[in-house]
């Protein structure tokens, strides 16, 4: 992937791959999309994928594989113990991370279960740049708590700061001083920080965190699920890394950490997960839990075919042309939307394009779920499915009150190598149309609210007949279009 300057002066991302397998898509007309949204309880998680034109819910487990990955799947060695496939995957991880020990697991949260059961105890603390939902849940399940110490710039929606995922080093030092180092289970850095809009940390920041960990004898854990985006941004934005290869930066990052874990649904264009380390003691401490929860040590709950695809996908992740596809498409989308006055998280990060619903539909109060309402409206207007990342994704307190999220984002994930630029342009166009007509969008209220993880299964209804009005306006503006 590389950005290319056209004769017209426009700069566009150019795909450095060709499509050899395709999947047919349906774009149901707006009237049907309205009906499907009603049937899904205004919750994009409850839509059937066959009714979705562009599935931008997540980039997890939905990235396109390459011909080389598919070919490798035919060579899988399916044995319970000692499979050749495991050796190939382990060797690849050793080559790219420099870590001789590898524990496979069925996905990212399974790695978190193993790490947290091993290192988190009642009352312990895990300082981190920012939490991810499953990580926080596993730490709390084991009696621990999290301390989010992202730099202040990190949670500002619009910014030009290149590394919004950086950890605040002074805050880290203070936490250790106030609580004592024995209370710290480990320090966690999340690459391509998911919940603040796929924002990277710098290599220098990781070095600074390592220094504090060394001074206090603390374990440093890297969540590498979104590593490739972070690598791309380090190479693009950090002066010291401009002449380094992606492989060199990866090796340097991994060498600064004691444990590297990842969701292979994100890293490596496959499915599964794993934990890598160079430290034999840490490996031995975690090993038993793999056989208890995942499977034998040489497959860990993964299919060997996926493991073969992962080994090749990890190799491909060291290719700058391949890993730049996501960030460059995202940057194109973010910049086009920003030019049209649509409020988006800036600078463009990895993972996807994040629309600031707090501003987009500023007339909707937070207890009527602005980001959820915007997600429903966007599906009706375009068949594009996004994910609410705001108050709907929060859990009620034990007294029944509702915490208001400090950001109301509509996440439009960009699965890697899946969409063409004309599809991205279509999404941009419909979002701009929706923005022009934003006054028509109103809020939602729960009609079925599960106690936990309500955003997955909850059903909502519009507070008025605003969706009928939105459909009518769409028909007026696009009389002949789907
Ligand atoms: N860490 C990060 C940074 C993630 O983004 C995810 C998953 C996980 C851990 C958990 O991995 O799903 O394989 O168990 N993120 C997905 C998403 C769910 O849609 O952003 P998993």
């Amino acid at each position: 992937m590389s950005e290319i300057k056209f004769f017209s002066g426009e700069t566009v991302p150019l795909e450095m791959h060709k499509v050899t397998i395709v999947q047919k898509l349906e774009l149901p007309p707006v009237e049907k999309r309205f009906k499907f949204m009603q049937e899904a309880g205004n919750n994009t998680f409850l839509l059937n994928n066959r009714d979705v034109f562009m599935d931008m819910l997540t980039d997890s487990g939905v990235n396109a594989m390459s011909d080389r990955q598919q070919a490798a799947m035919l060579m899988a060695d399916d044995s319970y113990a000692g499979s050749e496939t495991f050796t190939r995957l382990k060797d690849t991880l050793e080559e790219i991370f420099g870590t001789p020990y590898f524990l496979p697991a069925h996905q990212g949260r399974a790695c978190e279960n193993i790490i947290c059961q091993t290192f988190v105890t009642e009352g312990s603390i895990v300082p981190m740049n920012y939490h991810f939902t499953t990580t926080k849940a596993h730490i709390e399940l084991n009696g621990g708590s999290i301390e989010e110490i992202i730099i202040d710039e990190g949670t500002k929606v619009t910014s030009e700061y290149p590394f919004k995922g950086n950890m605040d080093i002074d805050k880290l030092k203070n936490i250790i001083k106030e609580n004592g180092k024995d209370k710290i289970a480990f320090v966690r850095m999340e690459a391509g920080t998911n919940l603040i809009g796929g924002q990277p940390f710098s290599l220098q920041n990781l070095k600074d965190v390592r220094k504090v960990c060394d001074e206090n004898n603390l374990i440093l854990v890297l969540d590498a699920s979104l590593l490739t985006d972070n690598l791309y941004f380090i190479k693009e934005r950090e002066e010291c890394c401009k002449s380094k290869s992606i492989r060199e930066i990866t090796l340097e990052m991994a060498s600064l950490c004691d444990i590297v874990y990842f969701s292979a649904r994100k890293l490596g264009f496959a499915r599964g997960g794993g934990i890598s380390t160079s430290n034999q003691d840490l490996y031995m401490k975690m090993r038993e839990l793999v056989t208890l929860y995942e499977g034998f040590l040489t497959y860990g709950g993964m299919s060997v075919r996926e493991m073969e695809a992962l080994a090749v996908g990890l190799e491909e992740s060291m290719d700058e042309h391949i890993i730049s596809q996501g960030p460059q498409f995202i940057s194109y989308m973010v910049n086009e939307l920003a030019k049209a006055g649509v409020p988006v998280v800036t600078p463009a990060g990895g993972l996807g394009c994040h629309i600031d619903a707090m501003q987009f539909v500023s007339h909707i109060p937070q207890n009527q779920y602005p980001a959820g309402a915007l997600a429903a409206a966007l599906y009706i207007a375009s068949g594009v499915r996004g994910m609410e990342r705001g108050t709907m994704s929060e859990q009620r307190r034990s007294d029944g009150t509702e915490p208001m999220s400090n950001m109301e984002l509509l996440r439009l994930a960009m699965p890697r190598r899946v969409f063409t630029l004309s599809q991205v342009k279509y999404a941009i166009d419909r979002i701009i149309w929706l923005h022009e007509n934003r006054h028509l969008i109103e809020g939602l209220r729960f009609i079925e609210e599960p106690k936990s993880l309500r955003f997955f299964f909850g059903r909502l209804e519009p507070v008025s007949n605003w969706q009928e009005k939105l459909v009518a306006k769409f028909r007026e503006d696009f009389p002949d279009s789907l």
Side-chain angles (χ1 to χ4, degrees):
M1 194 81 184
S2 46
E3 278 172 339
I4 196 119
K5 204 164 172 126
F6 280 1
F7 186 49
S8 66
E10 192 191 3
T11 301
V12 293
L14 185 68
E15 294 87 342
M16 296 299 281
H17 55 252
K18 64 178 178 182
V19 179
T20 52
I21 291 189
V22 295
Q23 185 178 7
K24 189 171 183 301
L25 286 174
E26 300 293 338
L27 177 52
V30 69
E31 293 77 10
K32 281 210 169 147
R33 297 197 294 264
F34 172 41
K35 182 175 149 274
F36 294 145
M37 194 77 258
Q38 282 177 309
E39 285 168 4
N42 285 283
N43 181 345
T44 54
F45 276 101
L46 301 183
L47 284 166
N48 290 316
N49 200 30
R50 64 165 179 264
D51 304 327
V52 171
F53 179 58
M54 284 174 78
D55 190 9
M56 304 185 86
L57 188 72
T58 178
D59 62 344
S60 169
V62 290
N63 299 304
M65 279 192 194
S66 67
D67 49 356
R68 292 179 60 247
Q69 283 184 286
Q70 298 235 341
M73 289 173 94
L74 295 174
M75 309 255 294
D77 178 24
D78 217 345
S79 59
Y80 189 88
S83 109
E84 257 316 286
T85 294
F86 174 77
T87 309
R88 276 195 280 272
L89 179 55
K90 182 179 139 326
D91 288 351
T92 304
L93 283 157
E94 180 161 5
E95 196 186 306
I96 68 170
F97 289 149
T99 47
Y101 301 103
F102 174 60
L103 293 167
H106 78 272
Q107 61 185 83
R109 66 199 73 181
C111 303
E112 290 167 345
N113 175 39
I114 291 161
I115 294 168
C116 294
Q117 279 209 39
T118 309
F119 301 107
V120 176
T121 50
E122 199 62 40
S124 63
I125 297 168
V126 181
M128 55 180 70
N129 52 349
Y130 208 75
H131 82 280
F132 183 69
T133 48
T134 53
T135 330
K136 182 176 169 184
H138 279 293
I139 290 167
E140 290 177 352
L141 207 61
N142 286 283
S145 62
I146 64 157
E147 284 281 356
E148 281 173 334
I149 44 173
I150 190 104
I151 52 163
D152 291 343
E153 202 68 23
T155 50
K156 282 190 194 148
V157 173
T158 47
S159 161
E160 287 184 7
Y161 197 76
F163 294 108
K164 284 164 84 177
N166 277 358
M167 183 178 272
D168 186 322
I169 302 297
D170 288 334
K171 285 189 184 155
L172 176 62
K173 286 181 184 162
N174 281 341
I175 289 173
I176 299 169
K177 207 159 105 194
E178 279 164 23
N179 299 281
K181 59 183 178 189
D182 294 342
K183 274 235 158 176
I184 313 287
F186 54 86
V187 177
R188 172 177 176 274
M189 285 293 275
E190 183 180 309
T193 327
N194 188 327
L195 295 187
I196 59 160
Q199 298 291 329
F201 58 71
S202 66
L203 183 60
Q204 186 56 49
N205 187 246
L206 190 64
K207 285 182 187 168
D208 296 342
V209 173
R210 174 77 257 172
K211 189 159 172 276
V212 178
C213 289
D214 278 342
E215 285 160 8
N216 294 280
N217 207 14
L218 294 174
I219 299 170
L220 177 54
V221 175
L222 173 68
D223 179 343
S225 306
L226 290 165
L227 179 69
T228 51
D229 295 337
N230 208 122
L231 284 166
Y232 169 79
F233 289 123
I234 284 180
K235 186 163 164 62
E236 280 289 299
R237 299 177 182 172
E238 199 162 352
E239 210 46 54
C240 67
C241 296
K242 289 211 153 80
S243 59
K244 285 184 183 158
S245 69
I246 293 292
R247 214 172 262 280
E248 284 167 335
I249 303 170
T250 307
L251 209 52
E252 196 168 348
M253 283 174 84
S255 74
L256 292 166
C257 304
D258 300 293
I259 293 173
V260 179
Y261 79 92
F262 57 93
S263 166
R265 298 178 64 82
K266 299 214 180 225
L267 181 67
F269 313 101
R271 287 156 205 92
I275 307 171
S276 291
T277 181
S278 296
N279 184 319
Q280 194 183 18
D281 281 351
L282 301 180
Y283 167 76
M284 294 303 272
K285 278 187 182 147
M286 294 184 280
R287 194 169 73 164
E288 251 173 53
L289 293 177
V290 173
T291 40
L292 204 54
Y293 288 101
E294 301 301 311
F296 190 69
L297 286 178
T298 52
Y299 71 93
M302 274 188 275
S303 124
V304 280
R305 270 162 282 282
E306 290 286 345
M307 290 167 77
E308 289 285 358
L310 173 57
V312 176
L314 287 166
E315 280 292 341
E316 291 179 357
S317 300
M318 296 294 103
D319 180 335
E320 205 183 327
H321 283 304
I322 290 177
I323 64 169
S324 59
Q325 195 264 332
Q328 287 181 358
F329 261 52
I330 293 162
S331 158
Y332 179 82
M333 187 166 181
V334 166
N335 294 339
E336 290 298 309
L337 288 172
K339 265 194 260 169
V342 178
V344 279
V345 173
T346 58
L351 207 172
C353 166
H354 295 74
I355 298 181
D356 178 15
M358 200 95 89
Q359 222 184 305
F360 195 114
V361 280
S362 55
H363 53 281
I364 302 181
Q366 272 192 283
N367 61 6
Q368 289 182 11
Y369 316 117
L374 185 57
L378 180 62
Y379 172 74
I380 294 171
S382 65
V384 172
R385 159 154 83 164
M387 187 191 287
E388 191 269 3
R389 283 288 157 192
T391 298
M392 230 172 100
S393 299
E394 298 280 345
Q395 197 151 316
R396 276 188 198 273
R397 300 186 189 94
S398 46
D399 65 0
T401 56
E402 213 175 6
M404 297 296 134
S405 174
N406 53 9
M407 277 181 162
E408 294 285 347
L409 301 181
L410 170 59
R411 178 178 97 171
L412 299 170
M414 193 71 76
R416 308 302 187 266
R417 315 191 276 203
V418 169
F419 298 130
T420 60
L421 197 63
S422 58
Q423 288 170 332
V424 173
K425 282 185 164 193
Y426 166 79
I428 293 168
D429 180 77
R430 292 305 192 253
I431 295 165
I432 294 173
W433 177 83
L434 201 57
H435 190 243
E436 291 284 312
N437 292 285
R438 60 190 178 278
H439 60 280
L440 292 174
I441 308 171
E442 290 177 51
L444 300 172
R445 61 179 162 240
F446 272 103
I447 45 174
E448 237 181 270
E449 186 182 342
K451 273 209 164 65
S452 71
L453 298 175
R454 63 182 187 173
F455 64 94
F456 278 140
F457 314 116
R459 304 181 70 83
L460 302 96
E461 64 179 8
V463 295
S464 72
N465 66 343
W466 64 264
Q467 294 179 337
E468 276 93 342
K469 291 185 199 157
L470 192 70
V471 173
K473 182 72 169 78
F474 184 94
R475 267 290 155 251
E476 194 186 315
D477 290 353
F478 305 103
D480 306 319
S481 178
L482 292 169

